[in-house]
Amino acid sequence: MTSELTLTESGPAAGRPVLVLHGGGGPFTVAPIAEHFAATAHALLPTHPGWNGTPRPAGLTTVGGLAAGYLRLLRERRLSDVLVVGSSLGGWIGAELAAADTEGLISGLVLVNAVGIEVDGEPVRDFFSLDARGVAEHAYHDSERFYVDPATFPAERIAGIQANMAALRVFSGGPAMSDPTLRPRLADVTVPTLVVWGESDGIATPAYGKEYAASFADARFATVPEAGHLPHLEQPERTFALLDAFAAQTARR
């Protein structure tokens, strides 16, 4: 996967590596996180294979496969002291990445409204059943601010969104957005972890997020008021304050 990987890099090459992993909406949804870290760190923002028109190898169909590819990237680049920040599906990838990192390349893990585990009584909402209005109402605290009528989109953008959703369906396995084997494996992850959650998330609830944090050996749960599934877009200052403090605490250099 690494040879075909679409990767945007920014910030000082000698800075701490920060791997920023996007969710179903594509890399633009986490670009502000990469831009924020690029002021002092070396931000790496990949586009997952299958998103934004990028090629997806036929055999690459699982989140674990994506995580394995990103772990190879870290090894090939000889990167260490890596801070991994994942949003939504990207958080799921980050959790798998931390579980597979037997060499200690990762020194900190941030999950922002991540999906991927199963929690009794708190299922992840069926994202694929929602129209644009439904996505805005469930994903954002201030839905009116972020809702855009898809009827105003050009045909090319609509096709791109549909292709991204098709890629999301492949990797997530469909509406459940989870792997029943993931949560038990997270108990063996010892890397310090910060689980950040928008309080108004209607895709994956804060109660789901608390259970996510409790799955790790060393995790802290923090909420962001007046924010939903993408708190870094709705409340960037509050979210970045949490991320910056955690980054400072976990840096090995």
Side-chain angles (χ1 to χ4, degrees):
M1 171 180 131
T2 54
S3 61
E4 304 109 355
L5 190 61
T6 301
L7 184 67
T8 300
E9 301 183 57
S10 54
R16 183 187 187 185
V18 180
L19 179 64
V20 182
L21 302 171
H22 68 79
F28 86 94
T29 61
V30 293
I33 297 177
E35 181 179 351
H36 175 77
F37 276 109
T40 56
H42 185 61
L44 299 95
L45 174 56
T47 299
H48 308 322
W51 269 262
N52 289 11
T54 57
R56 178 181 62 82
L60 183 60
T61 59
T62 66
V63 170
L66 286 173
Y70 292 132
L71 189 57
R72 284 195 297 274
L73 172 68
L74 301 185
R75 290 188 187 121
E76 290 173 4
R77 292 288 192 93
R78 298 183 178 179
L79 299 177
S80 60
D81 190 23
V82 180
L83 176 64
V84 176
V85 182
S87 166
S88 192
L89 176 79
W92 181 357
I93 300 168
E96 287 281 6
L97 188 53
D101 177 26
T102 58
E103 301 155 80
L105 304 181
I106 300 169
S107 54
L109 173 65
V110 180
L111 307 184
V112 182
N113 293 74
V115 296
I117 65 170
E118 289 188 345
V119 176
D120 289 341
E122 295 292 342
V124 175
R125 186 168 294 278
D126 181 0
F127 186 80
F128 300 103
S129 70
L130 301 174
D131 60 12
R133 173 65 73 179
V135 169
E137 290 176 350
H138 288 89
Y140 296 103
H141 175 79
D142 186 353
S143 61
E144 287 303 318
R145 175 184 166 198
F146 288 91
Y147 171 71
V148 180
D149 185 350
T152 64
F153 295 165
E156 182 179 349
R157 181 173 178 185
I158 292 175
I161 292 172
Q162 292 173 339
N164 285 351
M165 287 302 96
L168 177 62
R169 187 179 287 275
V170 168
F171 287 107
S172 67
M177 290 275 181
S178 64
D179 175 356
T181 74
L182 176 58
R183 193 175 184 187
R185 290 185 281 117
L186 297 182
D188 295 326
V189 174
T190 58
V191 65
T193 301
L194 173 65
V195 179
V196 176
W197 226 263
E199 286 185 349
S200 301
D201 191 1
I203 302 296
T205 66
Y208 177 93
K210 288 180 181 178
E211 290 298 318
Y212 219 130
S215 304
F216 291 91
D218 181 14
R220 182 168 70 88
F221 181 72
T223 57
V224 179
E226 299 178 356
H229 196 63
L230 301 166
H232 50 283
L233 298 185
E234 285 197 274
Q235 297 293 339
E237 289 187 6
R238 292 173 177 172
T239 305
F240 292 154
L242 292 169
L243 269 57
D244 288 346
F246 181 76
Q249 291 165 4
T250 57
R252 294 173 183 162
R253 301 178 183 181

